[in-house]
Amino acid sequence: MSESRLLFEEQPVLHEDPQPGPLYAVFGQPVAHSLSPMIHQRFAAQTRKSLRYEAIEVAPGGLADALSAFSARGGVGANITLPLKAEALRIASEASEFAKRVGAANVLSRIASGWRAENTDGKGLIADLAERHRLDLRGRRVLLLGAGGAAHAAAFALLDAGIGELYIVNRTPERADRLADRIGEPDRVHTRYWQDLDRIGAFDLILNATSAGHTHQTLALPSSIIGTRCVCYDMSYSLAAVPFLAWARAAGAQLALDGLGMLVEQAAESFLIWHGVRPDTEDVLAELRAHLPAQAVE
Ligand code: ATR
């Protein structure tokens, strides 16, 4: 995601003066060009809340100390991004069931005993797929490429949304097996080797949860996995999503979508947790799309 963030470096609108109000921040590494401060300030303006929202760079292993310092300055809520999401869950004094199942948290809220951890990535994905793009996920045959942090949230959320079957394929097959074991639904969840992709049939939905696009790498994928009216979704956005979405269009997908909508929806879910109101996401999504060079293609 670092490349997408760099694209925003020149946008003065993203560097607003601090506002009065309770203090929030996104923690990650790298984080300087995170879109979260801009998104939360837009949500705050829309819902007439005042808040401050910072971006705080933290190396792995340093989150507990950083949160203590943040709390001492009045910090009450944090978004957590790469590579700190599993660490955030370990630090938390309580956690939602979904965050525990996924094994990672992207939202922390200050409570008397410390921090409460939640994970809104899954809800963000489903909101984008099922509400914005009106996809009926029930009973669908789904292929998940990747078995890292992003794939974990997607797998649990899709299964909760009622998909019929989930095939997990990862470059390192042991990680796919570990994810399937963690899910523990052998009737619905299967793993396959990457080299067997041309033998597992066609899918209704293919999700790219790998980070290959961030390093401009193209995945080797056979067009036989594209089913009739297949939707291909890349959990990355902007330039990182280009290789997979280009492949999807060329291979005949009906829809090829990037993950920008998911990013905005997970932020809206964080905002709901902290402020008790779910902001409208369309305006901020349109604003982001106007700035980013590579658009989702439908
Ligand atoms: P994230 O939290 O973004 O998911 P991650 O946990 O580092 O990040 O996971 C990255 C995922 O992208 C992994 O599934 C990784 O595959 P491996 O488990 O084999 O490392 C996958 N990935 C990264 N580069 C890839 C590439 N060039 N081809 C295929 N998969 C790739």
Side-chain angles (χ1 to χ4, degrees):
M1 230 174 253
S2 54
E3 182 150 13
S4 311
R5 287 169 181 161
L6 280 172
L7 295 169
F8 275 73
E9 201 166 11
E10 303 302 322
Q11 302 300 326
V13 73
L14 302 177
H15 300 283
E16 294 168 338
D17 291 336
Q19 304 291 310
L23 178 62
Y24 298 85
V26 55
F27 292 75
Q29 187 183 57
V31 81
H33 302 289
S34 166
L35 301 178
S36 292
M38 174 271 196
I39 294 172
H40 279 269
Q41 292 294 357
R42 292 293 185 280
F43 287 165
Q46 182 199 118
T47 57
R48 301 186 187 283
K49 308 266 180 204
S50 38
L51 58 87
R52 292 168 289 153
Y53 195 109
E54 302 176 351
I56 299 176
E57 179 106 4
V58 176
L63 186 59
D65 287 348
L67 284 169
S68 298
F70 178 63
S71 182
R73 290 198 296 123
V76 293
N79 283 126
I80 308 295
T81 188
L82 300 179
L84 305 172
K85 292 184 182 185
E87 191 175 332
L89 182 64
R90 287 196 298 275
I91 286 168
S93 53
E94 67 173 55
S96 70
E97 282 311 308
F98 188 77
K100 286 186 213 167
R101 285 161 71 207
V102 171
N106 70 319
V107 183
L108 294 175
S109 309
R110 193 84 180 99
I111 55 173
S113 60
W115 295 95
R116 174 174 168 78
E118 291 172 75
N119 187 316
T120 63
D121 288 333
K123 271 192 181 168
L125 173 66
I126 301 305
D128 196 34
L129 284 172
E131 288 161 37
R132 176 167 296 105
H133 296 292
R134 308 231 168 270
L135 301 180
D136 183 0
L137 294 167
R138 288 167 302 172
R140 299 296 174 198
R141 189 165 195 261
V142 180
L143 173 62
L144 178 62
L145 301 168
H152 276 61
F156 284 100
L158 288 165
L159 290 162
D160 288 355
I163 61 165
E165 279 185 298
L166 181 68
Y167 282 77
I168 307 169
V169 173
N170 193 49
R171 179 178 61 181
T172 308
E174 296 77 17
R175 283 185 94 186
D177 289 339
R178 278 205 297 277
L179 174 53
D181 288 348
R182 184 180 185 96
I183 294 166
E185 283 196 58
D187 291 344
R188 271 207 297 173
V189 180
H190 319 282
T191 59
R192 291 290 184 271
Y193 293 116
W194 202 287
Q195 59 268 30
D196 292 338
L197 272 171
D198 57 356
R199 278 180 271 163
I200 56 175
F203 292 89
D204 303 309
L205 172 65
I206 302 173
L207 241 98
N208 181 21
T210 76
S211 54
H214 293 278
T215 49
H216 311 290
Q217 288 175 293
T218 304
L219 301 169
L221 298 168
S223 55
S224 58
I225 57 178
I226 300 271
T228 319
R229 295 190 295 171
C230 177
V231 175
C232 289
Y233 191 99
D234 197 315
M235 292 173 75
S236 304
Y237 58 86
S238 192
L239 298 182
V242 166
F244 177 73
L245 297 183
W247 169 83
R249 289 194 299 278
Q254 186 183 51
L255 276 179
L257 305 169
D258 72 5
L260 195 61
M262 175 184 171
L263 176 81
V264 177
E265 295 302 334
Q266 65 76 29
E269 289 293 333
S270 307
F271 198 90
L272 173 62
I273 289 168
W274 293 331
H275 307 289
V277 53
R278 197 181 195 286
D280 181 70
T281 50
E282 291 310 315
D283 286 354
V284 69
L285 182 58
E287 188 179 349
L288 290 169
R289 287 231 178 272
H291 286 89
L292 287 167
Q295 305 298 309
V297 176
E298 300 185 20

